[in-house]
Amino acid sequence: MGNADSKLNFRKAVIQLTTKTQPVEATDDAFWDQFWADTATSVQDVFALVPAAEIRAVREESPSNLATLCYKAVEKLVQGAESGCHSEKEKQIVLNCARLLTRILPYIFEDPDWRGFFWSTVPGAGRGASDEDEDNSRPLAESLLLAVADLLFCPDFTVQSHRKSSVETAEDIHSIDSCEYIWQAGVGFAHSPQPNYTHDLNRTELLKLLLTCFSEAMYLAPSPESGSGANPWVQFFCSTENRHALPLFTSLLNIVCAYDPVGYGIPYNHLLFSDYREPLVEEAAQVLIVTLDHDSAASTSPTVDGTTTSTAMDDSDPPGPDNLFVNYLSRIHREEDFQFILKGVARLLSNPLSQTYLPNSAKKIQFHQELLVLFWKLCDFNKKFLFFVLKSSDVLDVLVPILFFLNDARADQSRVGLMHIGVFILLLLSGERNFGVRLNKPYSVRVPMDIPVFTGTHADLLIVVFHKIITSGHQRLQPLFDCLLTIVVNVSPYLKSLSMVAANKLLHLLEAFSTSWFLFSAVQNHHLVFFLLEVFNNIIQYQFDGNSSLVYAIIRKRNVFHQLANLPTDPPSIQKALQRKKKAPEPISRTNSQESASMEGSRPAAPAEPGTLKTSLIATPAIDKLTEKAQVSEDGTLRTVEPSPSLQSPVESSPSALLSDTESFNGEAARSRRDRRRLSSTSSITQWNPTPDWVISWKSKLPLQTIMRLLQVLVPQVEKICIDKGLTDESEILKFLQHGTLVGLLPVPHPILIRKYQANSGTAMWFRTYMWGVIYLRNMDPPIWYDTDVKLFEIQRV
């Protein structure tokens, strides 16, 4: 039978289903088999031949027929898993049922009345006397998930058979140890099977169905309560009920980390051979991050001494979370496994950067956002991995691509989520001393980036990129400023020598953030000045010797510090500053920052094309919720600092602080215009007004002592040199500063404060909405969720 006939027959069956008003008996095989037995349809065909309107019509008008269709399709998958799919026909039936369920499931999830359907047992559907009773009472969802798990390790269908000859009997799918059939060498598995095109395609289709099962999460609105609520599909699939949990977790992780899109090292190779591995790698990455969706704040197991534990794949530690995928991830501990994972992630993250040297020489991957989520999960759930990453300068192979993405996406409203995850990862890394130390490595890789040319270290690169994001990103990024500067504060005590370019950028930020209109125009703006002063203090106190460029820049811009110390606090001055705001342009101008030419070969960061689809995100927690303060002791260990009420600035508890947060996020949370009007009207009623008391309350805490002392000592000396030698030349002054010392002249060094990321349900919920938004937009062929009634986020056009 030709492909056209087969499509026609399938379409006829769909039409019959939508026009039948009477329930069709489950035993009417002649009718139901038309959907899977005689057809050879691709997943794209199924989407085209089963229109959304018809699925919804059957759901509303003949619900029992839709229920029977789902039940029969699952039954076929269960039978395929039981038999081991030896014949071509059985394989075809399994794939057809998988495609059909992938098409229908989102329409089951979008209707709250149907949501429990897969979790109910199907009464009286007796599957023949041979079945054990216990299987009969399994909810449909469980039967479906277990069948898919079995099918993913089905010899000659999704894995290679280990039979020597065709004479031997087929392997019994129930007696095989699927750990011997792991898809790819890597973590915990040394043998790499021959790549097999058909097996890859079959795995991809089954993983697509799995991802669709897990996507019920998209149809629940985000709420603080649902933050820790486990997805029942993921919960069951990643439990001990799934005998393939370990080999499948390992297969997914290894398939992703072993992937090399470059075309086996031969440039342009990917143009000659179609890469059937990539769709599988993408699907694997998406399934992996969804199974790892777990609120670590809600469930860390305490050890004897009351601290939380991180485990390694040895079993000496207390049991981890019930989700086996999270559990396995947190227990990986062998150096060679860490090396394999880190190399793989770094190689894939760097792929879009290598594009710029020889355009099109390598295949460009599109799943960097999924990789960033995976890397985040690895660092968050496995502290040994985090320490391994920071142990050598390999961490820079992840840092550079992240800075590249941040810089590239800064003007693009559709990539706000990418900006956030990049910054979150850097915040997590910056809580560890080693990260700051690693940044001192000279930056020599010249990835073309739209930033000023400089000679210096990875720390310079980070500061220059952050400056670019703050001064030329779009408005929606303002909530990230606190995070960006917290990262710089965290690494500052370890930075041995900033370049002149980076030093000037930091002072330009201080200049922009310390104008009186900026300080008075929002309740939390002064935090940014506190962060920058903390950076300068850390460097002066702990790294004075190598930082003559920064000291010189501070001396040159000394008026900024004097203006801050003399910030007016009387009502007329405050009002005058706010009047100036009304005339002022963007919050931060690019004026008086010496912008030099950008690097050769770089393209400017572009805004999104009009009409680009994007998904909304929820607001991220404020920086004081996102981090906890820790003090670095003499021996380098960290001690958590209890926030003392007196130290909290009056901002953090005032109701208006919350309001200004919602205002800065209102674009992000994607409220309707009506809500937004309501917001702006409430904000005008309780319009926040800076008062003299408020200004004095934080102005009195500005940590200016160290810098003022430095200026008091060095400015007269520098002025004297200039007069004596008639100098206007920077290099002489820098030489003088290099050999200068302030030993004994500065106040006693303050303890180093690090703000470490702490897991909380706010970020867990943010990751869930971000991750599903990425998956929604990346699955447009076929469009699995497009135009269904998702609730987790809104779909918007730029």
Side-chain angles (χ1 to χ4, degrees):
M1 182 170 68
N3 196 19
D5 296 342
S6 133
K7 278 188 199 175
L8 196 65
N9 292 349
F10 180 74
R11 181 67 193 131
K12 276 185 193 152
V14 175
I15 293 170
Q16 281 181 321
L17 183 69
T18 50
T19 48
K20 279 192 195 291
T21 44
Q22 294 305 308
V24 184
E25 285 299 317
T27 48
D28 183 353
D29 285 338
F31 176 74
W32 297 112
D33 282 350
Q34 306 177 87
F35 289 95
W36 38 75
D38 317 320
T39 55
T41 46
S42 70
V43 68
Q44 281 77 8
D45 293 338
V46 170
F47 272 69
L49 299 171
V50 188
E54 294 181 14
I55 304 175
R56 288 185 176 119
V58 175
R59 186 182 72 195
E60 305 312 319
E61 283 138 40
S62 32
S64 74
N65 287 344
L66 182 61
T68 308
L69 179 68
C70 290
Y71 159 67
K72 295 293 284 185
V74 172
E75 185 182 53
K76 288 289 165 199
L77 289 179
V78 171
Q79 286 168 2
E82 292 282 316
S83 72
C85 282
H86 296 300
S87 67
E88 282 311 307
K89 181 164 180 158
E90 283 175 286
K91 292 175 181 161
Q92 199 54 58
I93 289 176
V94 162
L95 292 172
N96 285 333
C97 289
R99 291 162 189 158
L100 193 60
L101 286 166
T102 301
R103 179 60 172 146
I104 293 169
L105 275 167
Y107 298 90
I108 302 269
F109 294 152
E110 73 175 357
D111 184 336
D113 297 337
W114 275 82
R115 225 165 266 147
F117 168 70
F118 269 85
W119 293 96
S120 57
T121 47
V122 183
R127 302 183 192 167
S130 64
D131 264 295
E132 293 89 25
D133 290 343
E134 57 171 308
D135 258 16
N136 253 347
S137 58
R138 254 198 202 290
L140 205 50
E142 295 188 2
S143 306
L144 169 56
L145 290 171
L146 292 175
V148 172
D150 278 339
L151 288 164
L152 285 168
F153 290 98
C154 184
D156 283 330
F157 180 49
T158 49
V159 292
Q160 266 179 315
S161 169
H162 291 187
R163 279 185 304 160
K164 303 289 178 289
S165 67
S166 50
V167 186
E168 285 181 54
T169 50
E171 290 141 297
D172 174 16
I173 193 156
H174 298 287
S175 61
I176 68 170
D177 173 6
S178 45
C179 283
E180 293 170 13
Y181 290 84
I182 288 172
W183 301 350
Q184 177 76 42
V187 174
F189 195 64
H191 163 71
S192 231
Q194 244 347 84
N196 181 310
Y197 176 63
T198 320
H199 294 173
D200 275 5
L201 290 180
N202 296 342
R203 292 163 178 176
T204 305
E205 299 232 33
L206 289 168
L207 290 178
K208 208 180 276 304
L209 170 57
L210 202 50
L211 194 60
T212 309
C213 291
F214 296 158
S215 72
E216 186 178 7
M218 281 196 215
Y219 298 88
L220 306 170
S223 70
E225 301 74 68
S226 65
S228 49
N231 176 335
W233 294 84
V234 170
Q235 204 174 6
F236 179 80
F237 190 77
C238 298
S239 72
T240 48
E241 295 270 352
N242 177 0
R243 71 188 179 102
H244 304 292
L246 180 59
L248 188 60
F249 167 76
T250 314
S251 294
L252 295 172
L253 184 62
N254 292 352
I255 279 279
V256 172
C257 295
Y259 179 53
D260 184 359
V262 176
Y264 307 100
I266 306 159
Y268 303 99
N269 196 17
H270 70 102
L271 300 176
L272 307 178
F273 302 98
S274 81
D275 179 359
Y276 52 86
R277 199 24 68 111
E278 188 181 22
L280 173 62
V281 176
E282 291 203 356
E283 214 68 56
Q286 292 178 1
V287 168
L288 198 52
I289 60 178
V290 169
T291 52
L292 295 169
D293 177 14
H294 170 79
D295 183 356
S296 57
S299 63
T300 30
S301 40
T303 48
V304 191
D305 61 358
T307 58
T308 53
T309 168
S310 56
T311 52
M313 205 74 115
D314 44 22
D315 300 322
S316 58
D317 295 310
D322 295 337
N323 176 327
L324 290 178
F325 279 38
V326 174
N327 200 334
Y328 296 143
L329 185 81
S330 66
R331 285 182 18 211
I332 297 171
H333 66 107
R334 298 199 331 233
E335 292 259 319
E336 57 269 39
D337 290 343
F338 287 158
Q339 190 60 37
F340 165 76
I341 295 171
L342 180 57
K343 278 273 181 282
V345 171
R347 176 177 60 243
L348 292 170
L349 285 178
S350 308
N351 164 273
L353 285 61
S354 61
Q355 295 302 316
T356 36
Y357 300 120
L358 283 174
N360 303 321
S361 62
K363 191 177 169 81
K364 185 167 186 180
I365 63 156
Q366 303 295 333
F367 57 100
H368 48 274
Q369 299 194 83
E370 292 92 323
L371 284 167
L372 289 171
V373 175
L374 178 61
F375 184 74
W376 167 268
K377 300 276 181 201
L378 280 156
C379 292
D380 194 24
F381 295 157
N382 190 325
K383 287 299 170 251
K384 291 192 169 104
F385 177 74
L386 176 62
F387 298 144
F388 176 85
V389 168
L390 294 165
K391 203 172 69 175
S392 73
S393 52
D394 287 353
V395 65
L396 303 175
D397 299 338
V398 174
L399 169 74
V400 173
I402 288 176
L403 291 175
F404 174 86
F405 293 132
L406 290 178
N407 189 55
D408 189 53
R410 68 175 192 261
D412 184 341
Q413 300 245 350
S414 69
R415 292 198 282 169
V416 178
L418 170 63
M419 297 293 295
H420 277 75
I421 181 149
V423 171
F424 282 161
I425 289 173
L426 298 183
L427 179 66
L428 181 70
L429 294 174
S430 75
E432 308 297 331
R433 173 182 176 274
N434 263 351
F435 182 63
V437 174
R438 299 284 158 239
L439 289 179
N440 289 308
K441 187 175 176 183
Y443 175 65
S444 50
V445 208
R446 288 280 167 251
V447 175
M449 279 163 97
D450 172 27
I451 51 172
V453 182
F454 67 91
T455 305
T457 65
H458 284 75
D460 295 307
L461 176 68
L462 178 128
I463 288 167
V464 169
V465 169
F466 283 10
H467 173 269
K468 199 81 174 175
I469 294 168
I470 291 171
T471 56
S472 65
H474 54 80
Q475 285 287 284
R476 294 266 174 88
L477 298 179
Q478 248 178 321
L480 278 177
F481 291 0
D482 275 353
C483 256
L484 291 168
L485 292 186
T486 298
I487 294 165
V488 181
V489 174
N490 281 347
V491 300
S492 60
Y494 311 110
L495 303 183
K496 292 198 179 343
S497 155
L498 285 184
S499 69
M500 191 57 97
V501 174
N504 285 335
K505 297 299 178 205
L506 287 175
L507 278 138
H508 175 238
L509 289 180
L510 182 71
E511 222 171 340
F513 290 148
S514 61
T515 58
S516 52
W517 74 259
F518 183 76
L519 286 171
F520 298 158
S521 60
V523 75
Q524 73 281 29
N525 282 355
H526 65 276
H527 292 180
L528 300 170
V529 169
F530 275 79
F531 287 140
L532 284 164
L533 292 175
E534 210 176 317
V535 170
F536 298 143
N537 288 338
N538 282 341
I539 293 180
I540 293 167
Q541 289 281 20
Y542 291 99
Q543 299 288 349
F544 179 81
D545 285 352
N547 274 297
S548 51
S549 296
L550 180 68
V551 174
Y552 178 62
I554 289 174
I555 291 174
R556 273 190 43 222
K557 294 284 185 187
R558 56 190 178 275
N559 61 323
V560 180
F561 299 97
H562 291 300
Q563 279 165 6
L564 261 177
N566 300 317
L567 190 72
T569 57
D570 56 296
S573 302
I574 293 177
Q575 281 321 306
K576 204 168 125 195
L578 291 173
Q579 289 309 310
R580 224 174 340 180
K581 180 197 179 184
K582 294 196 175 71
K583 298 192 211 52
E586 289 272 295
I588 292 153
S589 66
R590 288 178 215 38
T591 51
N592 68 21
S593 158
Q594 301 79 18
E595 274 301 303
S596 46
S598 277
M599 293 174 65
E600 202 180 332
S602 66
R603 288 192 306 268
E609 293 287 320
T612 306
L613 285 181
K614 69 188 195 70
T615 54
S616 62
L617 294 163
I618 58 168
T620 47
I623 192 76
D624 52 330
K625 302 278 181 295
L626 203 57
T627 54
E628 57 179 0
K629 293 192 178 128
Q631 219 170 336
V632 181
S633 321
E634 297 285 307
D635 58 357
T637 54
L638 288 180
R639 223 163 34 85
T640 308
V641 181
E642 290 304 319
S644 65
S646 61
L647 282 173
Q648 293 292 59
S649 59
V651 181
E652 280 153 19
S653 54
S654 66
S656 53
L658 299 173
L659 185 83
S660 67
D661 264 12
T662 45
E663 278 185 66
S664 64
F665 281 125
N666 61 6
E668 221 35 321
R671 297 191 181 78
S672 61
R673 285 202 181 78
R674 186 196 71 244
D675 277 12
R676 221 168 288 168
R677 270 204 303 278
R678 199 186 67 223
L679 248 181
S680 53
S681 61
T682 50
S683 59
S684 56
I685 300 162
T686 59
Q687 167 110 60
W688 173 80
N689 268 320
T691 62
D693 288 351
W694 172 77
V695 178
I696 293 165
S697 72
W698 57 259
K699 181 188 163 183
S700 61
K701 299 199 189 87
L702 283 168
L704 286 164
Q705 305 79 330
T706 302
I707 294 169
M708 289 309 192
R709 184 79 188 116
L710 171 131
L711 291 173
Q712 199 186 346
V713 175
L714 293 178
V715 170
Q717 299 182 0
V718 170
E719 282 175 342
K720 186 172 181 322
I721 294 179
C722 293
I723 295 163
D724 290 355
K725 302 196 175 173
L727 278 184
T728 48
D729 180 18
E730 286 187 356
S731 60
E732 284 292 328
I733 302 166
L734 282 167
K735 204 175 293 172
F736 162 73
L737 291 172
Q738 266 161 10
H739 298 108
T741 173
L742 292 175
V743 174
L745 297 173
L746 291 177
V748 177
H750 54 282
I752 296 175
L753 261 191
I754 301 284
R755 292 173 183 81
K756 283 175 81 82
Y757 166 79
Q758 56 171 352
N760 60 65
S761 37
T763 38
M765 195 65 228
W766 184 90
F767 271 98
R768 179 172 306 168
T769 52
Y770 169 60
M771 170 180 79
W772 279 113
V774 168
I775 290 172
Y776 176 98
L777 291 174
R778 300 257 300 104
N779 283 277
M780 288 300 184
D781 178 27
I784 301 184
W785 300 282
Y786 189 67
D787 269 353
T788 60
D789 189 14
V790 294
K791 295 278 194 295
L792 187 61
F793 44 75
E794 283 185 21
I795 291 91
Q796 303 156 331
R797 286 191 186 275
V798 172

